Amino acid sequence: MGASFSALFIDQDGVSSSSPCLGDLPESCVASIIQHLDPPEICKLAKLNRAFSAASWADFVWESKLPPNYHILVHKILGFVPQNLGKRDIYTMLCRPNTFDGGTTKKVWLHKSTGGVCMSISSKGLQITGIDDRRYWNHIPTNESRFHSIAYLRQIWWLEVNGEVEFPFPVGTYSVFFRLQLGRASRGFGRGICDPKQVHGWDIKPVRFQLWTSGDEHSTCECSLSEAGKWFHYHVGDFNVENPNSSTKINLSMTQIDCTHTKGGLCLDSVVIYPSAFRERLKHKGFLKCTKPCCHMLHSI
């Protein structure tokens, strides 16, 4: 095979007419190589020449990047599975933040490099005690949220936030977080600023975070909120998915119901669910607040 390939570049006089280049590689050969790369790297190499561009559209390259249950994910998001859509197009579509369940408060997407399923539930998709009373809570427009709106707690005695979601997650372990900031978020001189004037009551008693799943998993953690002016992901707990063909139901909560004191000055953006491997990324970036487990991953017998 090597001799035949070299002969393509030798003329009748035995003199090399040109040198082999990347563009001379067969498309199938290029596709077999690039399928071992991350999706962003594949897209960069697709700009090299026509061979790499054509190979980057091969279905088997992107089949290996998609979650094994991607048909179920597409049906969950679109309500149907497109018949004539290539695997690269499907991957691209799933990497965009897609709403589901017929609303705008829940978004799901694939992480572009790893293909891991990520999810976010906005503050408007959560059940918040007192949210309709402007003495306690306000919805504030902001560019610091992917939903362009956050819930701001002015002051309250009884803090209770509950959430629920049901989704066909691929097999794996996932972590659940509340994305919170102490201090009112606003913008000034073209950049985000934070007003900590109304922050109070969070150092007296910790906030309790809880997680339940349809797989009989339950975790309870506590953490005192601190460090105003920065968004943090407060870890609620982890859950495992073993059957990707059925939906996992998740219930979660955040409470501080000690009515001996008020608390306020809290921004609630969303609940986020990431593959558990992402915890290290959040920790490395300084965005993670570890909670103290009270009971973790209790399975019913």
Side-chain angles (χ1 to χ4, degrees):
M1 178 178 176
S4 299
F5 182 75
S6 299
L8 295 174
F9 304 95
I10 300 177
D11 58 24
Q12 295 179 349
D13 297 325
V15 180
S16 176
S17 58
S18 64
S19 299
C21 63
L22 288 174
D24 299 313
L25 289 172
E27 180 184 319
S28 59
C29 179
V30 175
S32 298
I33 296 171
I34 65 175
Q35 71 170 324
H36 300 289
L37 303 177
D38 292 337
E41 295 174 327
I42 294 174
C43 293
K44 288 179 181 178
L45 288 176
K47 300 176 182 179
L48 281 178
N49 53 49
R50 291 182 180 179
F52 275 79
S53 177
S56 71
W57 287 93
D59 274 352
F60 76 88
V61 171
W62 295 96
E63 185 96 35
S64 63
K65 310 302 178 187
L66 286 163
N69 68 337
Y70 73 88
H71 289 95
I72 298 175
L73 299 182
V74 172
H75 190 274
K76 176 71 173 179
I77 294 170
L78 296 182
F80 65 95
V81 179
Q83 297 300 316
N84 299 317
L85 206 59
K87 299 299 188 294
R88 175 170 167 170
D89 288 326
I90 293 175
Y91 192 90
T92 301
M93 181 195 70
L94 291 178
C95 283
R96 302 190 189 105
N98 295 283
T99 58
F100 62 98
D101 284 350
T104 59
T105 61
K106 299 173 184 176
K107 294 184 178 181
V108 64
W109 65 95
L110 298 186
H111 186 263
K112 291 181 180 179
S113 294
T114 66
V117 170
C118 306
M119 182 182 293
S120 184
I121 307 171
S122 79
S123 58
K124 292 183 178 180
L126 304 172
Q127 294 77 52
I128 303 175
T129 300
I131 189 63
D132 295 323
D133 193 329
R134 298 193 65 180
R135 293 175 300 173
Y136 306 130
W137 290 91
N138 296 116
H139 287 294
I140 302 175
T142 177
N143 291 328
E144 295 186 18
S145 168
R146 68 172 61 250
F147 297 97
H148 305 292
S149 175
I150 60 172
Y152 176 68
L153 174 62
R154 301 179 63 187
Q155 179 173 288
I156 205 165
W157 294 88
W158 182 289
L159 172 70
E160 184 174 5
V161 181
N162 295 291
E164 179 181 302
V165 67
E166 192 167 351
F167 195 79
F169 289 93
V171 170
T173 303
Y174 297 84
S175 296
V176 182
F177 308 87
F178 272 91
R179 187 171 184 262
L180 309 171
Q181 175 182 271
L182 288 179
R184 177 167 178 147
S186 60
R187 296 193 67 81
F189 301 103
R191 61 187 180 86
I193 59 176
C194 176
D195 182 2
K197 291 179 182 178
Q198 292 182 318
V199 176
H200 69 281
W202 303 109
D203 56 343
I204 300 175
K205 291 288 181 68
V207 173
R208 172 164 289 196
F209 301 95
Q210 295 193 79
L211 168 71
W212 303 264
T213 74
S214 55
D216 295 324
E217 294 176 301
H218 174 219
S219 63
T220 302
C221 315
E222 291 185 343
C223 183
S224 294
L225 308 189
S226 61
E227 198 170 342
K230 184 177 180 180
W231 288 102
F232 287 105
H233 290 71
Y234 287 82
H235 185 212
V236 180
D238 300 339
F239 65 93
N240 294 304
V241 176
E242 297 177 353
N243 182 5
N245 298 319
S246 63
S247 293
T248 300
K249 186 176 182 179
I250 303 161
N251 292 88
L252 50 95
S253 70
M254 176 178 72
T255 57
Q256 214 291 22
I257 55 178
D258 183 348
C259 293
T260 61
H261 67 283
T262 63
K263 39 267 175 186
L266 175 68
C267 289
L268 166 57
D269 171 36
S270 59
V271 167
V272 292
I273 302 174
Y274 293 140
S276 291
F278 284 34
R279 278 212 313 268
E280 285 302 314
R281 300 187 184 195
L282 293 172
K283 184 177 180 180
H284 179 72
K285 293 180 178 179
F287 297 153
L288 177 65
K289 281 287 186 179
C290 295
T291 52
K292 181 180 179 182
C294 298
C295 56
H296 184 64
M297 297 302 249
L298 297 181
H299 297 258
S300 63
I301 300 176

